[in-house]
Amino acid sequence: MNLQLPPSWRDVLGAELKKPYFAKLTAFVDGERRKHAVYPPEVDVFNAFKFTLYDDVKVLLLGQDPYHDEGQAHGLCFSVRPGIRPPPSLVNVFEELKNDRGCPVPNNGYLELWARQGVMLLNAVLTVCAHRANSHANKGWETFTDAVIRALNVRTKPVVFLLWGAYAQRKSKLVDAPPHVVVTAAHPSPLSAMKFFGSRPFSRVDAALEELGEKPIDWCIPDL
């Protein structure tokens, strides 16, 4: 697994890449790629770090593991590349975004615009075997992404942590709030969407950012 962290992240996470658990994780993922289709492609695994540098993170949106169907996952949680049909959870995200912030539902599910504004779109697990949800859970990725949360937690500049569903919300124990802010809601998956709808997470994040003296996020995704 040939992964390159951008310098801003390497400064705070470089030690993690040298630890025994990460060597075991690397060997596991490499072995999986030799035997199976693994998503996202290796070049995209660290996209959340490439698109949102350490000092630029204003919001951390935490997902669980990548989409596991062909062509979907590209290293940003909940996002799919242009031309890929948005999965049900993302459809529900856009429905709530329409009701919360008035954003038209876009014709694509590409969330890079969020990442470029400081919304880090991080999954707790960064790889998955094709068509097997959570197949790379408990192999070491969670240790690494917990270190990401801790690295943001010790930063002087506060972060808004956006945690959807019980899995993500358990990570709140890694966050000191204040100075940071934790915004929670049900997960947007079809199983819990009725609780997600009406939770207004986007306006709540923007209100928190304004309280912190930060510019709100432009959540509206343009058509492509």
Side-chain angles (χ1 to χ4, degrees):
M1 190 162 58
N2 182 23
L3 301 177
Q4 294 294 321
L5 277 173
S8 75
W9 283 105
R10 199 159 55 239
D11 289 344
V12 295
L13 294 174
E16 294 297 312
L17 306 184
K18 299 174 183 176
K19 292 182 178 179
Y21 85 85
F22 201 87
K24 289 176 65 175
L25 171 63
T26 297
F28 167 76
V29 175
D30 286 346
E32 288 282 279
R33 287 197 189 276
R34 286 192 293 270
K35 294 181 289 184
H36 312 290
V38 170
Y39 303 133
E42 188 171 280
V43 68
D44 290 333
V45 169
F46 276 177
N47 273 352
F49 303 86
K50 295 173 185 174
F51 291 174
T52 315
L53 301 183
Y54 177 69
D55 292 331
D56 295 338
V57 177
K58 296 164 65 173
V59 180
L60 176 69
L61 174 56
L62 186 68
Q64 189 162 354
D65 77 329
Y67 295 129
H68 53 80
D69 287 336
E70 184 177 358
Q72 291 180 321
H74 67 104
L76 303 180
C77 74
F78 293 101
S79 179
V80 291
R81 287 197 184 281
I84 301 296
R85 183 179 180 180
S89 290
L90 186 53
V91 171
N92 291 337
V93 167
F94 287 144
E95 183 66 25
E96 177 63 15
L97 186 56
K98 178 183 176 183
N99 293 328
D100 185 8
R101 296 310 255 166
C103 294
V105 175
N107 65 359
N108 69 95
Y110 191 47
L111 305 181
E112 182 185 345
L113 181 65
W114 293 2
R116 297 294 188 189
Q117 294 178 79
V119 182
M120 188 178 192
L121 300 171
L122 182 71
N123 279 311
V125 175
L126 298 188
T127 56
V128 68
C129 191
H131 317 304
R132 289 169 50 205
N134 294 313
S135 50
H136 288 189
N138 303 313
K139 301 297 183 182
W141 279 128
E142 296 92 340
T143 303
F144 177 73
T145 53
D146 281 359
V148 175
I149 296 172
R150 290 190 178 98
L152 291 169
N153 186 59
V154 300
R155 211 182 65 174
T156 304
K157 184 179 177 183
V159 175
V160 180
F161 291 84
L162 180 54
L163 306 179
W164 288 339
Y167 179 90
Q169 288 165 26
R170 285 196 290 272
K171 303 294 184 178
S172 64
K173 68 181 184 291
L174 304 176
V175 177
D176 294 319
H180 305 286
V181 178
V182 176
V183 173
T184 63
H187 196 279
S189 79
L191 296 174
S192 53
M194 294 313 295
K195 294 180 180 179
F196 177 73
F197 293 141
S199 62
R200 300 180 63 84
F202 307 101
S203 57
R204 288 159 61 205
V205 167
D206 283 344
L209 288 172
E210 290 183 309
E211 281 283 321
L212 295 171
E214 294 285 349
K215 183 179 177 182
I217 304 298
D218 178 2
W219 298 102
C220 298
I221 299 295
D223 283 344
L224 297 175

